[in-house]
C-alpha cells in the first residue's frame, strides 16, 4: 500500500505491507532509529512517538494507520539545533544510563510538560508509568523532568 | 520480531462506509480502532483476520455527549478521553475510577471504549463498570440499528453479541438523580490487569437504596455483575453491615480461577472486600 506519513514535519511516501508496524516503518524504512523497539507487546514504552500530537506505543500501531497523519519522534525534539529542555534535563540530571528507554521517556515528558508545565513528582511518575527503565530506578528521570519544567526553552537556548 | 500474518486493509471515514466494507470483506474481516488488543493478538497469530477495517477516522464515533437522560459514549472514544471528560466524571465517577487504572497513560491514548467492550476480555474493567451502570450498547448493521443491554452483551470470554458485519457504535448510560458510583481494583503492579475489581452504583430514595448495581471484573461473574448482591441491597437502608453482607454474597456467587495472577480463594476474598469498598465509596459520594 502506498502511504504518506509526515514525520517531524517532513512527508515520506513509501509502499508498505499493511502489516508493517509503525516502529519498524520509522526505523527500517526511514532510518529514524532514535525510536527504540523493545518488548513488542506495548509494555515497555521504548517505542513511544507522537501520532497527531498524542504519545502512542508505535509497536502497536500499523504504519498504514499513520498515513495522512503527523508523527513526531525523538529526532524531532530539538529545534534549530537546540536541544529541547527535556533532553537538556536528562543530560543535566543523569536521567539515563544505557539510554534504551530514553527516547520514549523524552517524548512522554515533553507531552506532559506541554499540558502541565509545573508537574508534581506524582504526576511525572504517573505519566511515565507505562514505560520501563531498567537502569535509573526512575529517580533521576523524575529529576530530569523537573529540571526541564524549571528551565524554559528560552533559558536552555541561552 | 512478532509480525502479524498478511491481511487486506481499508480505512472507513463514516459508519456507512465501515458497514459497507464489512459487508464486502465478509466473515473474516475485523474492525480495528486502537488496536491495542487486536494487534498483539495478530502478532501472536491468535487472531488472523483476512481484512482489517480501520475506523480511527470515523469522527462521528468519537463523541461523548448527553442526549435526553443518557450519557452517550461513542465507540471510538479513547480511554484518555473518557478519563478527561468532565461530564462523564460528574455523572458517573465509576467511569473515571476505572479509567484511571486501565493500562497506562500511553495505552489509554490509543485504546478505545468500544474496542475494550468488543474484545470482551474477562479481566477488562469497563465491561463491569457499564454492567453496574445498566448501560446499553448500540450496534449498527446492514439491517439498521439495534440496542442490547451491556448485561447481555457478552456471550462468553472474548465473545459478544456483535455479529459479523455489525459495528458497536455507542454505549448509552442512563442518568438518574440521587445516586453515585465507584470502582476499586487490585492489580499487582501499575498498569496491569486486575486480580479482581468491583464497581458499585447506588441510587438512594427516602433513605433507602432504590437501585443498586454491582459489577465484578476478572472473577468470572456471569455477565460481569452480581445479581444476588444487588437483590440484597435493593430496598434496604444503607449501612456497613448491609455492605458487608452484599460483599459476602458477591464473593459467594462468583467463580474465580487460579492463574499466574493469583489463587482462586484470594480472588474470591478480593471480590467480597472490593465490593464493600466500592459500595462504601459510592455511598460517601451520594452525600452532598
Ligand atoms: S516496544 Fe513498544 S512498548 Fe515495548
Ligand atoms: S536508561 Fe537504561 S533502560 Fe532506562
Amino acid at each position: 500500500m502506498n502511504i504518506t506519513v509526515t514525520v517531524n514535519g517532513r512527508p515520506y511516501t513509501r509502499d508498505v505491507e499493511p502489516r508493517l508496524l509503525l516502529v519498524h516503518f520509522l526505523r527500517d524504512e526511514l532510518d529514524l532509529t532514535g525510536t527504540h523497539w523493545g518488548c513488542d507487546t506495548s509494555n515497555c514504552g521504548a517505542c513511544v512517538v507522537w501520532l497527531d500530537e498524542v504519545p502512542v506505543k508505535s509497536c502497536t500501531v500499523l504504519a498504514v494507520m499513520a498515513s495522512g497523519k503527523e508523527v513526531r519522534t525523538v529526532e524531532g525534539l530539538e529545534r534549530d539545533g537546540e536541544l529541547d529542555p527535556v533532553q537538556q534535563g536528562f543530560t543535566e540530571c543523569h536521567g539515563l544510563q544505557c539510554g534504551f528507554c530514553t527516547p520514549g521517556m523524552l517524548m512522554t515528558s515533553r507531552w506532559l510538560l506541554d499540558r502541565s508545565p509545573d508537574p508534581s513528582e506524582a504526576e511525572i511518575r504517573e505519566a511515565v508509568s507505562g514505560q520501563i527503565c531498567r537502569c535509573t530506578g526512575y529517580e533521576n528521570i523524575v529529576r530530569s523532568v523537573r529540571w526541564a519544567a524549571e528551565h524554559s526553552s528560552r533559558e536552555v537556548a541561552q | 520480531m512478532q509480525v502479524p500474518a498478511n491481511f487486506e486493509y481499508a480505512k472507513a471515514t463514516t459508519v456507512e462506509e465501515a458497514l459497507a466494507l464489512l459487508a464486502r470483506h465478509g466473515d473474516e474481516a475485523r474492525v480495528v480502532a486502537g488496536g491495542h488488543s487486536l494487534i498483539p493478538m495478530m502478532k501472536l497469530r491468535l487472531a488472523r483476520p483476512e481484512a482489517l477495517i480501520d475506523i480511527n477516522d470515523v469522527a462521528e464515533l468519537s463523541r461523548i455527549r448527553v442526549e435526553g437522560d443518557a450519557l452517550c459514549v461513542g465507540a471510538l472514544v479513547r480511554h484518555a478521553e473518557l478519563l478527561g471528560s468532565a461530564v462523564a466524571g460528574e455523572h458517573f465517577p465509576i467511569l473515571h475510577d476505572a479509567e484511571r487504572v486501565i493500562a497506562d497513560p500511553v495505552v489509554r491514548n490509543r485504546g478505545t471504549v468500544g474496542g475494550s467492550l468488543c474484545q470482551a476480555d474477562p479481566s477488562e474493567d469497563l465491561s463491569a463498570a457499564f454492567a453496574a451502570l445498566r448501560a446499553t450498547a448500540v450496534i449498527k448493521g446492514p439491517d439498521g440499528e439495534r440496542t442490547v443491554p451491556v448485561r447481555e452483551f457478552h456471550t462468553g470470554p472474548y465473545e459478544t453479541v456483535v455479529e459479523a458485519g455489525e459495528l458497536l457504535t455507542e454505549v448509552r448510560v442512563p442518568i438518574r438523580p440521587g445516586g453515585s458510583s465507584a470502582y476499586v481494583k487490585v492489580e499487582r503492579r501499575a498498569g496491569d490487569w486486575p486480580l479482581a475489581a468491583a464497581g458499585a452504583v447506588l441510587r438512594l430514595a427516602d433513605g433507602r437504596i432504590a437501585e443498586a448495581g454491582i459489577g465484578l471484573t476478572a472473577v468470572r461473574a456471569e455477565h460481569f455483575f452480581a445479581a444476588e448482591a444487588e437483590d440484597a441491597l435493593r430496598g434496604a437502608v444503607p449501612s456497613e453491615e448491609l455492605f458487608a453482607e452484599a460483599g459476602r454474597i458477591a464473593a459467594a456467587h462468583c467463580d474465580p480461577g487460579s492463574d499466574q495472577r493469583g489463587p482462586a480463594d484470594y480472588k474470591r476474598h478480593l471480590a467480597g472486600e472490593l465490593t464493600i469498598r466500592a459500595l462504601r465509596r459510592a455511598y460517601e459520594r451520594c452525600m452532598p
Side-chain angles (χ1 to χ4, degrees):
Chain A
M1 260 186 94
N2 228 33
I3 62 170
T4 299
V5 185
T6 301
V7 183
N8 303 325
R10 189 175 144 196
Y12 295 87
T13 301
R14 293 287 188 280
D15 187 24
V16 303
E17 283 187 336
R19 62 177 172 167
L20 182 68
L21 298 162
L22 180 58
V23 65
H24 301 309
F25 176 76
L26 295 169
R27 292 176 54 85
D28 304 341
E29 297 285 330
L30 307 188
D31 279 333
L32 292 172
T33 52
T35 300
H36 288 168
W37 169 55
C39 66
D40 216 355
T41 56
S42 67
N43 282 296
C44 76
C47 65
V48 170
V49 301
W50 292 11
L51 178 61
D52 279 350
E53 303 281 312
V54 175
V56 299
K57 294 183 172 177
S58 61
C59 68
T60 310
V61 175
L62 300 169
V64 286
M65 287 174 155
S67 188
K69 306 202 187 294
E70 307 247 350
V71 171
R72 189 179 183 195
T73 70
V74 69
E75 288 92 345
L77 276 183
E78 68 168 54
R79 299 271 191 229
D80 307 321
E82 296 292 343
L83 291 181
D84 186 280
V86 293
Q87 294 174 302
Q88 200 73 20
F90 274 66
T91 315
E92 293 294 329
C93 302
H94 205 89
L96 62 139
Q97 289 179 32
C98 78
F100 196 83
C101 69
T102 314
M105 293 290 181
L106 291 172
M107 296 315 289
T108 309
S109 303
R110 179 69 268 151
W111 193 68
L112 171 68
L113 291 173
D114 284 352
R115 313 176 91 211
S116 173
D118 187 24
S120 65
E121 172 172 347
E123 256 183 281
I124 297 169
R125 287 185 182 275
E126 161 72 10
V128 300
S129 62
Q131 291 162 257
I132 294 171
C133 177
R134 300 187 68 175
C135 303
T136 64
Y138 306 97
E139 286 295 323
N140 286 353
I141 290 177
V142 173
R143 273 185 213 129
S144 303
V145 179
R146 276 305 313 165
W147 188 98
E150 284 154 19
H151 296 76
S152 70
S153 314
R154 185 163 313 149
E155 283 173 58
V156 172
Q158 276 162 3
Chain B
M1 177 158 130
Q2 299 176 2
V3 183
N6 275 314
F7 54 85
E8 276 182 69
Y9 171 88
K11 225 176 234 197
T13 53
T14 63
V15 169
E16 275 60 46
E17 202 183 340
L19 293 175
L21 286 164
L22 282 170
R24 182 171 339 138
H25 288 278
D27 282 4
E28 297 305 316
R30 290 287 298 271
V31 172
V32 68
H36 274 52
S37 301
L38 184 55
I39 292 174
M41 286 180 68
M42 289 169 62
K43 287 182 181 179
L44 295 170
R45 311 280 170 118
L46 292 170
R48 273 186 94 142
E50 283 169 15
L52 280 191
I53 314 302
D54 181 350
I55 59 164
N56 280 292
D57 289 342
V58 182
E60 60 194 289
L61 298 181
S62 293
R63 286 194 299 256
I64 301 177
R65 62 187 202 289
V66 174
E67 205 181 281
D69 64 349
L71 178 80
C72 304
V73 182
L76 190 61
V77 168
R78 314 273 170 195
H79 292 297
E81 292 168 343
L82 187 55
L83 181 55
S85 162
V87 63
E90 174 198 336
H91 291 293
F92 307 113
I94 184 174
L95 293 176
H96 278 191
D97 290 348
E99 283 295 1
R100 222 170 268 125
V101 291
I102 289 177
D104 62 66
V106 180
V107 168
R108 291 200 292 267
N109 282 340
R110 190 77 186 148
T112 64
V113 169
S116 290
L117 287 178
C118 289
Q119 176 67 11
D121 189 301
S123 303
E124 195 279 312
D125 299 283
L126 287 184
S127 301
F130 284 125
L133 288 166
R134 294 183 168 77
T136 304
V138 182
I139 300 166
K140 288 201 173 143
D143 305 325
E145 179 180 304
R146 66 188 176 112
T147 57
V148 177
V150 168
R151 292 183 167 208
E152 294 164 23
F153 184 78
H154 301 89
T155 49
Y158 308 101
E159 278 176 16
T160 73
V161 297
V162 180
E163 305 275 356
E166 286 188 322
L167 182 68
L168 172 69
T169 56
E170 188 169 271
V171 184
R172 289 187 194 144
V173 194
I175 298 172
R176 305 249 186 277
S180 197
S181 57
Y183 190 80
V184 193
K185 159 165 154 176
V186 168
E187 75 265 62
R188 292 172 308 170
R189 53 174 182 258
D192 199 6
W193 296 95
L195 270 140
V201 179
L202 287 177
R203 190 159 58 82
L204 304 180
D206 304 325
R208 289 182 181 270
I209 296 172
E211 188 55 282
I214 302 292
L216 291 175
T217 307
V219 290
R220 278 195 232 151
E222 214 175 324
H223 295 291
F224 293 94
F225 71 102
E228 297 81 1
E230 292 172 351
D231 293 342
L233 291 161
R234 199 175 296 115
V237 177
S239 68
E240 267 300 309
E241 294 70 39
L242 178 69
F243 296 164
E245 175 64 8
R248 258 194 306 278
I249 298 172
H253 282 86
C254 63
D255 181 27
S258 297
D259 58 18
Q260 79 283 7
R261 289 198 193 109
D265 53 351
Y266 177 47
K267 292 186 192 176
R268 189 184 294 282
H269 165 77
L270 283 177
E273 180 60 28
L274 296 180
T275 296
I276 297 170
R277 290 184 198 175
L279 279 165
R280 211 180 268 149
R281 190 165 303 168
Y283 182 57
E284 283 163 12
R285 285 174 173 166
C286 290
M287 300 300 129

